[in-house]
């Protein structure tokens, strides 16, 4: 499904070069649950952004379902991003004065779906993550765990094959963390491919595969069981 060959990403800040990814080779199969660990600045988010077509490689190849991503133009990248990926971030990225229902319905504005149906789908997604009693709460009126559940529901509305999560439990307490990780586990059991970045060793245990990053390189890549 996902193949990176000799993938590098260099950032330029003035005269300074920062190699965020250094000659990465990586394959991820459909249905995997991959956890990524590594110290701050080791290139984890850069990798996730590249996978999700939010960023592009400066060298090497990215093949996604037989599509050579390097060859896509801006519009094609956006189309691929919207159709294939759902994103979940540490800081939730919700509109704060907007209800859970509207936050989840929002990404469907660009799909050709009637308003009424958008809200139907959003409602179903929120019920699926256990928030049927919080549909009309604004983000500011929700707990961290609830906000992350809204964000997950939003990531799912376009029925993506792959979910990319960048430290999704980074701001959560132990109880909410367990709840959110159960949702990811269930989604994976239903066939979603998941790539999840975490700082916490015990979260790293959830996946079927653990990858460790150091200084832009993969230093560990093991399938468990
Ligand atoms: N947009 C950017 N411009 C310049 N440097 C960046 C940018 N994004 C990331 N970097 C640098 O690339 C390296 C990897 O960053 P990142 O992928 O965010 O690491 P991680 O997610 O593992 O903490 C860091 O040294 C960071 O400072
Ligand atoms: Mg990061």
């Amino acid at each position: 499904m996902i193949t990176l060959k000799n993938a590098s990403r260099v950032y330029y800040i003035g005269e300074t070069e920062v190699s965020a990814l250094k000659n990465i080779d990586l394959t991820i199969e459909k249905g995997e649950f991959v956890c990524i660990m590594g110290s701050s600045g080791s290139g984890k988010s850069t990798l996730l952004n590249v996978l999700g077509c939010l960023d592009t490689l400066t060298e090497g190849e990215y093949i996604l379902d037989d599509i050579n991503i390097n060859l896509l133009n801006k519009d094609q990248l956006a189309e691929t991003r919207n159709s294939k990926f759902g994103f979940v971030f540490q800081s939730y990225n919700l509109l704060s004065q907007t209800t859970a229902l509207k936050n989840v319905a929002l990404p469907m504005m660009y799909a050709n779906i009637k308003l009424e149906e958008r809200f139907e789908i959003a409602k179903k997604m929120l019920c699926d993550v256990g928030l049927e009693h919080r549909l009309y709460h604004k983000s500011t009126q929700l707990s961290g765990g609830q906000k992350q559940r809204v964000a997950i529901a939003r990531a799912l509305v376009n029925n993506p094959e792959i979910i990319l999560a960048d430290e999704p439990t980074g701001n959560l307490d132990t109880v909410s963390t367990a709840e959110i990780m159960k949702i990811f586990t269930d989604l994976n059991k239903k066939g979603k491919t998941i790539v999840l970045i975490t700082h916490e060793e015990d979260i790293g245990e959830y996946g079927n595969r653990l990858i460790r990053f150091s200084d832009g390189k993969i230093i560990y890549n093991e399938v468990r069981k």
Side-chain angles (χ1 to χ4, degrees), residues 15-33:
E15 303 277 281
T16 318
E17 267 187 37
V18 181
S19 292
L21 297 177
K22 298 174 180 167
N23 312 99
I24 301 277
D25 288 309
L26 176 65
T27 303
I28 297 174
E29 306 292 347
K30 189 172 167 54
E32 279 205 84
F33 186 162

Side-chain angles (χ1 to χ4, degrees), residues 40-41 43-46 166-167 197 199:
S40 187
K44 307 180 297 295
S45 295
T46 303
D166 197 341
E167 306 202 29
I197 295 174
H199 257 107

Side-chain angles (χ1 to χ4, degrees), residues 120-177:
E120 276 306 306
I121 296 170
K123 196 171 162 186
K124 181 182 181 308
M125 292 301 162
L126 283 163
C127 291
D128 285 354
V129 295
L131 283 184
E132 55 282 349
H133 58 307
R134 292 290 183 271
L135 301 178
Y136 302 103
H137 279 58
K138 293 176 182 171
S139 308
T140 48
Q141 300 166 327
L142 298 172
S143 72
Q146 289 170 338
K147 280 185 224 176
Q148 198 57 298
R149 283 194 264 166
V150 174
I152 293 173
R154 181 186 54 185
L156 292 171
V157 289
N158 290 333
N159 196 23
E161 293 167 47
I162 308 165
I163 296 167
L164 301 176
D166 197 341
E167 306 202 29
T169 63
N171 289 340
L172 302 181
D173 59 65
T174 323
V175 174
S176 307
T177 293

Side-chain angles (χ1 to χ4, degrees), residues 83-119:
S83 62
K84 298 252 185 201
F85 296 99
F87 295 89
V88 181
F89 301 98
Q90 176 172 5
S91 50
Y92 325 117
N93 294 9
L94 301 174
L95 299 176
S96 59
Q97 293 302 326
T98 301
T99 62
L101 195 61
K102 276 192 181 167
N103 264 294
V104 175
L106 211 61
M108 287 181 280
M109 226 163 75
Y110 308 100
N112 198 12
I113 306 172
K114 280 193 204 131
L115 188 70
E116 211 173 296
E117 198 183 333
R118 278 184 234 156
F119 283 104

Side-chain angles (χ1 to χ4, degrees), residues 1 8 11 16 21 36 40 43 48 62 70 76 81 94 102 115 124 142 145 149 152 158 165 193 200 216 223:
M1 163 173 252
S8 297
Y11 292 110
T16 318
L21 297 177
I36 299 180
S40 187
L48 218 69
Y62 174 19
N70 300 40
Q76 291 167 321
R81 181 162 63 235
L94 301 174
K102 276 192 181 167
L115 188 70
K124 181 182 181 308
L142 298 172
R149 283 194 264 166
I152 293 173
N158 290 333
T193 305
E200 295 149 85
V223 175

